[in-house]
Amino acid sequence: MSQILEEKLGRLSKEDQNLWALRHTAEHVLHTAMQNLYPKLKKAMGPATPEGFYFDFDLTSLDTEQGKKVSEADFPKIEAEMKRIIDLNLPMTQKYVSAGEARKIFEGNPYKLEWIDDIEKRGEKISLYSMGDIDQDLCSGPHVARTGEIKAYKLLSVAGAYWHGGREVYMLTRIYGAAFGSGEELAGFLNRQEEAKKRDHRKLGRELGLFVFSDLIGKGLPLLTPKGATIRRILERFIVDEEIRRGYQHVVTPPLAKTDLYRTSGHYPYYKDTMYPPMKVDEEELILRPMTCPHHFMLYKSSPRSYRDLPVRYAEISPQFRYEKSGELTGLMRVRMFTLADAHIMTPKEGARAEIIGVLDLIDFVNKKLGMQLGRDYRYRLSLGDRKDTKKYYKDDGLWDEAEGVLRSVLTERNSPFFEAPDEAAFYGPKIDVQVRNVAGHEETAFTVQYDFVMPKRFEMTFTNSHGQEEQPVVIHRSSLGAFERTMAFLIEFYGGAFPLWLAPVQVALIPIAERHARAADAVARELKRHGVRTEVDLRSEPMQGKVRDHTLQKVPYLGIIGDKEVASGTVSVRTRDGKDLKGMSVEGFLRKLNNELELETA
Amino acid sequence: MSQILEEKLGRLSKEDQNLWALRHTAEHVLHTAMQNLYPKLKKAMGPATPEGFYFDFDLTSLDTEQGKKVSEADFPKIEAEMKRIIDLNLPMTQKYVSAGEARKIFEGNPYKLEWIDDIEKRGEKISLYSMGDIDQDLCSGPHVARTGEIKAYKLLSVAGAYWHGGREVYMLTRIYGAAFGSGEELAGFLNRQEEAKKRDHRKLGRELGLFVFSDLIGKGLPLLTPKGATIRRILERFIVDEEIRRGYQHVVTPPLAKTDLYRTSGHYPYYKDTMYPPMKVDEEELILRPMTCPHHFMLYKSSPRSYRDLPVRYAEISPQFRYEKSGELTGLMRVRMFTLADAHIMTPKEGARAEIIGVLDLIDFVNKKLGMQLGRDYRYRLSLGDRKDTKKYYKDDGLWDEAEGVLRSVLTERNSPFFEAPDEAAFYGPKIDVQVRNVAGHEETAFTVQYDFVMPKRFEMTFTNSHGQEEQPVVIHRSSLGAFERTMAFLIEFYGGAFPLWLAPVQVALIPIAERHARAADAVARELKRHGVRTEVDLRSEPMQGKVRDHTLQKVPYLGIIGDKEVASGTVSVRTRDGKDLKGMSVEGFLRKLNNELELETA
């Protein structure tokens, strides 16, 4: 077992360690079954995953009709072979061999041979795992004792993959599977998967017309349609207003700068591979920014500061650019350009604690507004440094101890649900990560709050303290709402597209029953719009029921139907997207209802 | 006289042609005077300008102490020599010479020799102008008859300049001067200059703390401070809300795309030199966008369109990037990245007229809100194509005639002050330019409204018309408020920094007289902020009069002073930035006053 894996597993509970071993064995069962069914394939490699396993196969030597190698249509056959192997209840046994022996065993498999070279280079022992006597593979374990322990598993999907995630030309075939401790857990997982598929923001984004991509524009660069841009604008104004209310000062700085700026900050060596290429403009070398901090530092340094001016809380709706591998781009979730609700707080060290409390207050407030419950939908992670790793982390044990202590005590005193994660800090200090659970049940870091004692030194940022001396502030890096793209992706899935009223791009769809009701519908629309209600009138010459169905599918919160009866009585027949009939209402009554709902959402 | 100059002068009134000749002769008087004073200099070249003239000198061979060649301190001496020449009342006479003769005359002056080569290459005659018998220069005129006609002139400034505006290493010395038909006009011009200097947005931007530049970030890339960003945000929300009210749909598209996109649009050959260098990202070549149109076209093309959906009016607060020579960068006015209030309207051809009227309505509305009067502060320019220039303009005479006709008739029917400018159109169609007069009295194109019949073809944009056939829309390109950077620069100068209440970054500065009044000031500030008033409390331990002076210099519209009397009576003593004492007011009364003023500004 590699050292990294050993450390990772060591942090899991006994139960999770067993589950990991079970999934790892299921992965072996998969590749053994595949080997049996397709003897000409070459095995590459595969791991256990948080839901099961996957394995990459080189299928180039397979003879198949129409170039189609293996597809989901083959799953029943493969699963049957897996079942046969599991039922044999074969023992999983480990042995060590020399590099020479290993090379002989895996002769003709370039993937395994490369792997053997790597193990040898690292000076580790070469371990094999056998499954009874029907298969053996390069593997350092751990595994469950026998294949028969695998009770609940299922193949999920097939995808393309590159060897080591690199960009070589030939594509491997990756088969994903799920494996759980019980059939019940597997069924629960498959249900969540089903639900996640329905709520997939890429699917809903298309169906609800929120964003598109364009081949002529480029990969990972979404275009927000009017509806998508409306959600984005609502979120942006909400957070800007709230931050200003809380004493932040919004600024606007350029989304590119000289590479020298990121050399000064020390970001360049860490971020170089995920930055866009530099651009030579006259004598300057410019580069698109991968983060905002040094820009805010330049603003801070543009005039002398006194302790009376601090804390300075610079916030920005900040476009940023990061290179992501094309295989990792995912709708709005993983993009090559994003816009972060970013901020940097410059504070005397003794004020840092209060500022971090303020930031967590804001995050809890924002998340509540977005409908998320602390504990259920998100929790905090305290990401710590490693005093021994002086390459990865700035060396100053005292400052690390102090900063980690501040973050830990704030989280503890607030009774915020959190856990600690060693070796996950930024290079300039520890951080609190906002861990959000997505629809598929996975936890992801949405954004972070960072305590930074390094940048003020690198940028020679100072203020005059109350004794007239020059002093260095500390910097709190934080987001309050994350990147708009990612947050929108999350919200689309969280609400399954049925946004709360304040976020819905169209709040009311008015449906005149016949053409003669169009004028009345327009008048109602004007009145609603005048009061800030985002309203659309559906003038298509379709039957009313079809229009109702369309807007319900579009998850418009309220439909207002206008026919003879409504025109005569000056009312609108209101229905909700859930199909509830609220009957006829005056426009004033409808407006009152909408405003009440908006006020409840704000509270 | 070159053909271009001939055409340009031909369009001027008789009076303006005379003034141009006068200024041109004044330029000759300047370089003759300089030649007399500094015989070792080399003359490069110089033109008449809309206020006088300038001339570039190569002073490398001059022997002067401390490397200082010629400065404004030398102006009295130079002006005295100019006066001497003018008083000689020398005749200006033209003669033609062969290239060989010309080369002999200007032997040893590389600038003149290069110029002679150019004239020869163009196949034009080589013309000299003599001033009496004391000087002769390469020049095609026209001039006034005698130097004595120059009555009102003044040298203005010295600056560096490059030969032909290029980026060669050696810098020439440029001397600027003013020349007018009468002493009165010259005095008027000098007064305006003085006022323009006081209102220079770079100077005011620094004094009022609105924006800064940073060497580590790069040239032409301003950073907006909290105050500058506040103005920008107010303008942005104002225009977005107004546009949505008028049926625009705001979208968000990426500020970069594959160069292929700009090749498809045909922009690439025209804009290549003013674009940033491309960036290779995986197999894609990306480039920062110099305009938004093709991005909006991609969005338009992302779903099929029917005549019922048109007009589609896509608007965007759109960041754009253009390379400007470093010598031309000017504060917020000329930058390397700007954000345009941009839009593109896709409409059936027969709807174009109504859309253009709608755009001009919006522009007049916005300009009025910004305090500008049509006729006084801005007018329109109808920029036409040239049917003969098929290299510069897309060839289709019928479409050009039709489009120019639509624009002309709209301007005429609105009684909008406008003039026509031949050969100033975009390559894809004619346009209306919004010509704004700046503080120095110069007219500049702030932004444009363009009629485009080419892009729909290039991008194969279509809609299904009411007969079920595929039809091509026309595109109206327009801005409503221009680029925020440029508009802010203009507004700073227009208002001399004393922004109207709705635009003022700080609307009220509260000044507690002593420390014991700080709590009361804070309470008033909270109440004002709760009502959306941008308020600051000045807690510095300075004398009250100093604080009043500071905030008056900062042009904060209202100062609220709070001392014992005010605390006792629950009032605020209000003063305006013009020094008017409005006496004590209750907070409610003050709020009412502010709201009344804001409502008047909105009306």
Side-chain angles (χ1 to χ4, degrees):
Chain A
M1 198 174 0
S2 77
Q3 210 189 327
I4 298 169
L5 180 59
E6 198 160 354
E7 281 177 17
K8 198 176 133 192
L9 289 182
R11 275 181 231 133
L12 297 180
S13 67
K14 195 83 198 144
E15 206 181 357
D16 282 346
Q17 286 182 18
N18 283 342
L19 191 55
W20 193 92
L22 182 84
R23 286 166 172 163
H24 189 186
T25 306
E27 175 231 296
H28 277 240
V29 170
L30 166 65
H31 68 66
T32 305
M34 285 289 289
Q35 182 87 69
N36 291 348
L37 293 168
Y38 307 95
K40 285 191 192 164
L41 61 72
K42 289 199 180 81
K43 297 184 200 173
M45 66 172 299
T49 66
E51 58 203 30
F53 53 87
Y54 69 73
F55 198 91
D56 292 344
F57 300 94
D58 178 346
L59 303 180
T60 23
S61 322
L62 254 64
D63 304 316
T64 53
E65 63 287 25
Q66 295 144 0
K68 196 152 176 68
K69 311 283 185 179
V70 170
S71 73
E72 297 181 12
D74 301 308
F75 281 1
K77 186 174 69 183
I78 303 169
E79 283 173 339
E81 178 63 10
M82 287 175 75
K83 181 168 186 321
R84 197 184 66 79
I85 294 168
I86 290 166
D87 289 349
L88 290 174
N89 198 22
L90 299 169
M92 301 295 296
T93 49
Q94 185 174 29
K95 70 170 171 188
Y96 293 98
V97 293
S98 70
E101 284 173 275
R103 286 202 180 91
K104 211 180 276 168
I105 294 168
F106 295 103
E107 202 181 342
N109 183 323
Y111 309 101
K112 301 293 174 187
L113 293 176
E114 192 185 322
W115 202 237
I116 293 164
D117 290 348
D118 285 354
I119 301 172
E120 209 178 20
K121 241 178 262 165
R122 288 201 304 270
E124 290 171 10
K125 283 195 290 182
I126 294 175
S127 158
L128 298 187
Y129 256 94
S130 302
M131 181 182 290
D133 54 2
I134 69 166
D135 191 39
Q136 63 180 346
D137 202 4
L138 207 56
C139 173
S140 56
H143 282 282
V144 291
R146 305 186 83 93
T147 58
E149 291 182 37
I150 304 167
K151 305 283 186 205
Y153 61 97
K154 191 172 183 346
L155 296 184
L156 296 173
S157 60
V158 178
Y162 293 105
W163 176 237
H164 283 184
R167 276 173 272 157
E168 283 81 8
V169 172
Y170 176 66
M171 197 175 256
L172 301 170
T173 300
R174 176 172 294 178
I175 298 181
Y176 289 92
F180 283 84
S182 72
E184 207 176 358
E185 283 164 308
L186 176 63
F189 165 77
L190 293 173
N191 275 340
R192 282 199 305 279
Q193 282 282 101
E194 208 46 48
E195 184 60 17
K197 253 187 221 166
K198 265 190 258 164
R199 288 170 175 248
D200 186 315
H201 80 278
R202 290 167 296 182
K203 180 173 163 282
L204 282 174
R206 207 166 37 243
E207 290 170 5
L208 304 179
L210 302 176
F211 60 93
V212 299
F213 287 90
S214 153
D215 284 344
L216 261 180
I217 286 185
K219 289 198 180 119
L221 297 171
L223 292 82
L224 299 187
T225 62
K227 282 186 191 163
T230 300
I231 298 177
R232 152 86 189 255
R233 184 171 58 253
I234 295 167
L235 289 173
E236 181 174 321
R237 291 194 182 185
F238 158 67
I239 198 64
V240 169
D241 289 345
E242 187 59 36
E243 287 177 347
I244 289 174
R245 204 167 289 130
R246 290 173 188 247
Y248 285 89
Q249 299 185 301
H250 266 266
V251 298
V252 179
T253 63
L256 74 175
K258 284 155 77 172
T259 46
D260 287 348
L261 183 69
Y262 309 105
R263 290 211 174 88
T264 304
S265 69
H267 280 104
Y268 200 64
Y270 293 91
Y271 281 84
K272 210 161 86 81
D273 293 340
T274 57
M275 285 168 82
Y276 280 63
M279 293 167 284
K280 192 101 178 93
V281 173
D282 291 352
E283 72 291 0
E284 295 182 343
E285 191 186 76
L286 295 172
I287 195 160
L288 292 169
R289 74 171 160 202
M291 78 284 299
T292 326
C293 31
H295 297 246
H296 289 180
F297 300 160
M298 289 299 102
L299 214 43
Y300 178 89
K301 278 169 65 82
S302 70
S303 67
R305 306 287 170 175
S306 131
Y307 69 99
R308 290 175 193 276
D309 306 324
L310 266 51
V312 169
R313 304 186 191 102
Y314 284 144
E316 182 165 4
I317 301 302
S318 170
Q320 299 175 22
F321 299 78
R322 291 204 193 158
Y323 167 71
E324 302 265 359
K325 286 183 189 147
S326 67
E328 285 169 7
L329 297 170
T330 313
L332 295 181
M333 195 63 88
R334 286 287 277 276
V335 287
R336 283 186 174 162
M337 180 207 162
F338 56 92
T339 309
L340 192 66
D342 211 351
H344 297 90
I345 304 170
M346 276 59 74
T347 169
K349 204 203 238 176
E350 61 273 21
R353 195 189 154 75
E355 290 304 317
I356 288 161
I357 292 173
V359 169
L360 295 180
D361 281 349
L362 173 59
I363 292 172
D364 286 343
F365 173 85
V366 168
N367 280 349
K368 194 173 161 223
K369 172 89 179 177
L370 296 180
M372 286 197 280
Q373 266 178 38
L374 184 54
R376 183 192 72 183
D377 303 306
Y378 73 104
R379 58 174 176 161
Y380 291 108
R381 179 173 82 175
L382 175 58
S383 290
L384 308 167
D386 179 347
R387 303 292 178 276
K388 277 171 272 164
D389 193 341
T390 54
K391 208 177 141 193
K392 190 166 166 192
Y393 301 111
Y394 182 84
K395 183 69 186 165
D396 190 328
D397 292 1
L399 287 177
W400 276 97
D401 289 346
E402 189 180 353
E404 291 179 357
V406 169
L407 297 185
R408 186 180 288 114
S409 79
V410 167
L411 286 169
T412 307
E413 280 170 34
R414 291 170 70 82
N415 288 318
S416 292
F418 81 100
F419 65 105
E420 304 202 358
D423 198 19
E424 290 280 358
F427 73 86
Y428 43 66
K431 61 192 173 83
I432 294 172
D433 299 314
V434 180
Q435 300 293 108
V436 174
R437 188 175 297 279
N438 69 17
V439 216
H442 294 313
E443 196 178 74
E444 289 169 345
T445 300
F447 52 86
T448 65
V449 183
Q450 308 173 349
Y451 186 114
D452 171 7
F453 41 76
V454 177
M455 290 300 158
K457 276 198 187 59
R458 294 229 166 125
F459 280 97
E460 297 173 345
M461 295 158 72
T462 57
F463 66 96
T464 309
N465 67 22
S466 58
H467 308 295
Q469 298 152 332
E470 290 294 279
E471 193 179 316
Q472 245 156 26
V474 302
V475 173
I476 315 289
H477 307 237
R478 55 109 275 205
S479 183
S480 50
L481 188 102
F484 288 98
E485 292 77 8
R486 204 182 160 98
T487 298
M488 280 174 66
F490 173 82
L491 290 172
I492 293 168
E493 301 190 346
F494 187 73
Y495 288 112
F499 297 105
L501 191 59
W502 73 281
L503 265 180
V506 179
Q507 297 173 311
V508 173
L510 292 176
I511 302 173
I513 293 180
E515 235 182 280
R516 66 179 180 282
H517 309 118
R519 231 172 41 176
D522 274 336
V524 173
R526 263 198 308 280
E527 186 62 10
L528 291 177
K529 282 182 184 174
R530 206 170 62 80
H531 286 84
V533 180
R534 295 183 291 276
T535 310
E536 267 186 6
V537 184
D538 187 345
L539 292 171
R540 292 175 301 161
S541 48
E542 311 264 318
M544 193 261 282
Q545 286 311 327
K547 293 186 186 181
V548 168
R549 196 183 51 241
D550 286 351
H551 295 290
T552 304
L553 285 172
Q554 286 290 306
K555 319 220 179 190
V556 176
Y558 292 100
L559 313 186
I561 295 152
I562 296 173
D564 288 336
K565 193 183 69 184
E566 288 80 8
V567 171
S569 59
T571 59
V572 188
S573 284
V574 179
R575 298 189 195 190
T576 71
R577 62 185 157 198
D578 314 315
K580 231 162 88 184
D581 185 353
L582 303 182
K583 302 280 157 64
M585 281 186 203
S586 66
V587 177
E588 298 70 45
F590 190 18
L591 272 169
R592 219 174 305 123
K593 189 197 152 32
L594 294 170
N595 282 331
N596 285 344
E597 187 170 335
L598 286 171
E599 264 172 44
L600 276 175
E601 286 176 352
T602 307
Chain B
M1 198 174 0
S2 77
Q3 208 188 327
I4 298 170
L5 181 58
E6 197 159 355
E7 282 177 17
K8 200 176 131 193
L9 290 182
R11 275 181 233 133
L12 296 180
S13 68
K14 194 87 199 142
E15 204 183 356
D16 283 345
Q17 286 181 18
N18 282 342
L19 191 55
W20 192 92
L22 182 83
R23 286 168 172 162
H24 189 186
T25 307
E27 174 231 297
H28 277 240
V29 171
L30 166 66
H31 67 67
T32 306
M34 284 290 288
Q35 183 87 69
N36 291 348
L37 293 169
Y38 308 94
K40 285 191 191 165
L41 61 71
K42 289 197 180 80
K43 297 185 201 173
M45 66 174 297
T49 66
E51 61 203 29
F53 53 87
Y54 69 74
F55 199 91
D56 292 342
F57 300 94
D58 178 346
L59 303 179
T60 23
S61 323
L62 254 66
D63 303 316
T64 53
E65 64 285 25
Q66 295 144 359
K68 197 154 175 70
K69 311 283 187 183
V70 170
S71 74
E72 297 180 14
D74 301 308
F75 281 1
K77 184 174 67 182
I78 304 169
E79 283 173 340
E81 177 62 11
M82 287 175 74
K83 182 168 186 321
R84 196 183 65 80
I85 295 167
I86 289 166
D87 289 348
L88 292 174
N89 199 22
L90 300 168
M92 300 296 295
T93 48
Q94 186 173 28
K95 71 171 172 187
Y96 293 98
V97 295
S98 71
E101 285 173 89
R103 286 204 180 89
K104 212 181 275 167
I105 295 169
F106 295 104
E107 202 182 343
N109 184 323
Y111 308 102
K112 301 292 175 191
L113 292 176
E114 193 184 320
W115 202 237
I116 294 165
D117 291 346
D118 284 352
I119 301 172
E120 208 178 19
K121 241 177 264 165
R122 288 201 303 271
E124 290 171 10
K125 285 195 288 183
I126 294 177
S127 158
L128 298 187
Y129 256 95
S130 301
M131 182 183 288
D133 55 3
I134 69 166
D135 191 39
Q136 65 181 346
D137 202 6
L138 206 56
C139 173
S140 55
H143 282 282
V144 290
R146 302 183 87 83
T147 58
E149 292 183 35
I150 304 167
K151 305 282 185 209
Y153 61 97
K154 190 172 183 347
L155 296 185
L156 295 172
S157 58
V158 178
Y162 293 104
W163 176 237
H164 283 184
R167 277 173 270 156
E168 283 81 9
V169 172
Y170 175 67
M171 198 176 256
L172 301 170
T173 299
R174 175 171 295 177
I175 298 182
Y176 288 92
F180 284 83
S182 72
E184 206 178 1
E185 284 166 307
L186 176 64
F189 165 77
L190 293 173
N191 275 341
R192 282 198 305 279
Q193 282 280 103
E194 208 44 51
E195 184 60 17
K197 252 187 222 167
K198 265 191 257 162
R199 287 170 176 247
D200 187 317
H201 79 279
R202 290 166 297 183
K203 180 173 163 282
L204 282 174
R206 208 167 34 243
E207 289 170 5
L208 303 179
L210 300 177
F211 59 91
V212 300
F213 287 90
S214 153
D215 284 344
L216 260 180
I217 286 185
K219 289 195 179 121
L221 297 171
L223 291 82
L224 300 186
T225 62
K227 281 184 191 162
T230 299
I231 298 176
R232 151 86 190 254
R233 185 171 56 253
I234 294 166
L235 289 172
E236 181 174 323
R237 290 193 182 186
F238 158 66
I239 197 64
V240 169
D241 290 345
E242 187 60 35
E243 287 178 346
I244 289 175
R245 203 168 291 129
R246 289 172 188 248
Y248 286 89
Q249 299 185 301
H250 267 266
V251 298
V252 178
T253 64
L256 74 176
K258 285 154 76 171
T259 45
D260 287 346
L261 183 69
Y262 310 105
R263 290 210 174 88
T264 303
S265 69
H267 281 102
Y268 200 64
Y270 294 90
Y271 281 84
K272 212 162 84 80
D273 293 341
T274 58
M275 285 168 82
Y276 279 64
M279 293 168 283
K280 191 101 178 90
V281 173
D282 291 350
E283 71 291 1
E284 296 182 343
E285 191 187 75
L286 296 173
I287 196 160
L288 291 170
R289 72 171 162 202
M291 78 284 299
T292 326
C293 32
H295 296 246
H296 288 180
F297 301 159
M298 290 298 104
L299 213 43
Y300 178 87
K301 278 169 65 78
S302 70
S303 67
R305 308 285 171 175
S306 132
Y307 69 99
R308 291 175 191 275
D309 307 325
L310 265 53
V312 169
R313 304 185 189 102
Y314 284 144
E316 182 166 4
I317 301 303
S318 170
Q320 299 176 20
F321 299 79
R322 291 202 194 158
Y323 167 72
E324 302 266 0
K325 286 182 190 149
S326 66
E328 286 169 6
L329 297 170
T330 314
L332 293 181
M333 196 62 91
R334 285 288 276 277
V335 286
R336 285 189 173 159
M337 180 206 163
F338 57 92
T339 308
L340 192 67
D342 210 351
H344 297 90
I345 304 172
M346 276 61 72
T347 169
K349 207 202 238 174
E350 61 273 21
R353 195 188 153 75
E355 290 304 315
I356 289 161
I357 292 173
V359 168
L360 294 180
D361 281 348
L362 174 59
I363 290 171
D364 286 343
F365 173 85
V366 168
N367 280 349
K368 193 172 162 225
K369 171 88 180 178
L370 296 180
M372 287 197 281
Q373 264 178 39
L374 183 56
R376 183 192 72 184
D377 303 305
Y378 72 105
R379 58 174 178 161
Y380 292 106
R381 178 173 82 175
L382 175 58
S383 290
L384 307 166
D386 179 349
R387 304 290 180 277
K388 278 172 270 164
D389 192 342
T390 55
K391 209 178 141 194
K392 191 167 166 193
Y393 300 111
Y394 182 84
K395 182 69 186 166
D396 189 326
D397 291 2
L399 288 177
W400 277 96
D401 289 345
E402 189 179 353
E404 290 179 358
V406 169
L407 298 184
R408 186 181 288 112
S409 79
V410 167
L411 287 168
T412 307
E413 280 170 34
R414 293 170 69 82
N415 288 317
S416 292
F418 80 101
F419 65 105
E420 303 202 359
D423 199 19
E424 290 280 359
F427 71 86
Y428 43 67
K431 60 191 173 85
I432 294 172
D433 300 313
V434 180
Q435 300 292 108
V436 175
R437 187 175 298 280
N438 68 18
V439 218
H442 295 312
E443 195 177 74
E444 290 170 344
T445 300
F447 52 87
T448 64
V449 183
Q450 308 174 348
Y451 186 114
D452 171 9
F453 40 75
V454 177
M455 290 300 158
K457 274 198 190 61
R458 295 228 167 126
F459 281 96
E460 298 174 344
M461 294 158 73
T462 59
F463 65 96
T464 309
N465 67 21
S466 58
H467 308 296
Q469 297 152 332
E470 290 294 279
E471 193 180 317
Q472 246 156 27
V474 303
V475 172
I476 315 289
H477 307 237
R478 53 110 276 203
S479 184
S480 50
L481 187 103
F484 288 98
E485 293 76 7
R486 205 182 159 97
T487 299
M488 281 174 64
F490 172 82
L491 290 172
I492 293 169
E493 300 189 348
F494 186 74
Y495 287 112
F499 298 106
L501 192 59
W502 72 282
L503 265 181
V506 179
Q507 297 172 311
V508 173
L510 292 176
I511 302 174
I513 293 180
E515 235 183 281
R516 66 180 180 280
H517 309 119
R519 230 170 43 175
D522 274 336
V524 173
R526 261 199 308 280
E527 185 62 8
L528 292 176
K529 282 182 183 175
R530 205 169 66 78
H531 286 84
V533 180
R534 294 183 292 277
T535 310
E536 267 187 7
V537 183
D538 187 344
L539 292 172
R540 291 176 301 160
S541 46
E542 310 264 318
M544 194 259 281
Q545 286 311 328
K547 293 186 187 182
V548 168
R549 195 182 52 241
D550 287 351
H551 295 290
T552 304
L553 285 172
Q554 286 291 305
K555 320 219 177 192
V556 175
Y558 292 99
L559 313 186
I561 294 152
I562 295 172
D564 287 336
K565 192 182 70 182
E566 288 80 8
V567 170
S569 59
T571 60
V572 186
S573 284
V574 179
R575 299 190 193 187
T576 71
R577 61 185 158 199
D578 314 315
K580 228 162 91 184
D581 186 352
L582 304 182
K583 303 281 156 66
M585 279 188 205
S586 67
V587 178
E588 298 70 46
F590 190 21
L591 272 169
R592 220 174 304 122
K593 189 196 152 35
L594 294 170
N595 282 330
N596 285 344
E597 186 169 335
L598 286 171
E599 263 171 46
L600 278 175
E601 287 176 351
T602 308

